Amino acid sequence: MGPASTWPEQSPEDGIKLATILRNQPLLEHLELRSRKWDMDGWLSATDLPHLRSLVAREDEARWLIPGRPITSLTFLEVDKVPEDNAWKELTASSTPITSLTACFIRKDSISPFLKSAAKYMGALRSICICASSLRLEHLGIVYEGFPTFKELQSLSVALPSRHHRNLQPDNSYLAALRMSVQRGSPSTERVTLDNLEALA
C-alpha cells in the first residue's frame, strides 16, 4: 500500500501552499481534504500526483484533482446539490474509471436526485456508500424508491447514526425493501447493508 496523507484539521495554509506541498509528493496515493474548502484551481499541473488513486474532498476540489489522475475511489464531502453536467464531466475524467463512491450528504433530500444523476455518469461503480446524519430508518424510502440502475454495482451501504443503527434487526423491513429495490435495478448487487455512521468517521 502506498503513502497516504491527511491534511491537519486546523491548518493555516492556503491553497497555493498546499498545492506546493502536493507537487512534492509524486508517490501519494490517498489524499483527504476534510478540514476546510481549498482553492487550488490552476496551481497543480496535469503531471502532479500521478499515482493518486483515492480522494476525499468536496465537489470543487474533486473537479480540480480528478482529471487525468488514476482515481478509482472518491469520497464526496458536504453534498447538498446535484453536480451540473459540466461538473460531472470533470468528476469522471480520471484516467481509470471510478469504481467506489462514498457520498456524505448535508440534506437527505439530495440523496435520490444525486444517485440518479450519478448513474448517468459513473457507470463503472461497484461500491456505493451513502452517509447523512439526518437519515433515519423510516427515511430509507428516499434511497430505494426509484433507485437507479448501476450495471456494475456489487455493494451498497447506507450509514445511519448510531442511535438508529444499534437497534437494527437483520430482518428489518426497511432493509428488506432497500435490498429488493436495489437488486431489481442492479441485479449484480450482492451486498446491501445498513452501517453505523459514527464507525465510518
Side-chain angles (χ1 to χ4, degrees):
M1 190 172 185
S5 177
T6 301
W7 194 251
E9 284 296 319
Q10 299 298 328
S11 170
E13 307 290 338
D14 59 21
I16 299 174
K17 292 181 180 179
L18 174 59
T20 301
I21 292 172
L22 294 178
R23 280 197 297 270
N24 292 309
Q25 305 296 324
L27 298 181
L28 192 67
E29 294 185 3
H30 176 72
L31 175 64
E32 298 187 15
L33 299 173
R34 291 182 181 272
S35 64
R36 49 171 283 193
K37 293 182 179 180
W38 296 94
D39 183 355
M40 291 178 288
D41 192 13
W43 294 107
L44 287 175
S45 71
T47 57
D48 293 327
L49 302 175
H51 299 289
L52 188 64
R53 299 185 181 279
S54 175
L55 176 65
V56 179
R58 296 162 189 81
E59 179 183 323
D60 286 345
E61 299 156 345
R63 290 173 65 180
W64 299 325
L65 288 164
I66 288 176
R69 296 184 174 89
I71 293 174
T72 59
S73 176
L74 172 63
T75 295
F76 244 155
L77 300 176
E78 299 179 4
V79 179
D80 64 350
K81 61 182 177 64
V82 177
E84 297 180 357
D85 289 346
N86 62 330
W88 276 120
K89 291 176 182 177
E90 293 174 323
L91 292 168
T92 55
S94 54
S95 59
T96 54
I98 293 175
T99 58
S100 176
L101 174 68
T102 296
C104 304
F105 294 89
I106 295 176
R107 298 191 305 270
K108 62 182 182 294
D109 294 343
S110 301
I111 296 175
S112 181
F114 178 91
L115 288 174
K116 290 176 181 177
S117 186
K120 298 177 182 178
Y121 293 94
M122 306 183 88
L125 284 178
R126 297 177 185 173
S127 172
I128 298 175
C129 178
I130 298 167
C131 307
S133 60
S134 60
L135 199 60
R136 309 288 184 266
L137 269 174
E138 59 269 26
H139 298 152
L140 284 182
I142 294 173
V143 180
Y144 65 71
E145 290 177 0
F147 189 87
T149 297
F150 291 92
K151 293 182 179 179
E152 304 296 325
L153 189 64
Q154 298 176 6
S155 172
L156 172 70
S157 170
V158 180
L160 300 171
S162 59
R163 63 185 178 278
H164 295 279
H165 180 270
R166 71 168 62 97
N167 297 320
L168 183 65
Q169 300 299 319
D171 60 349
N172 184 274
S173 60
Y174 294 107
L175 178 56
L178 178 63
R179 284 198 181 110
M180 184 179 299
S181 178
V182 171
Q183 292 172 341
R184 183 186 301 118
S186 304
S188 63
T189 307
E190 300 175 353
R191 184 171 180 267
V192 178
T193 61
L194 297 178
D195 292 323
N196 186 332
L197 179 62
E198 284 75 8
L200 297 178

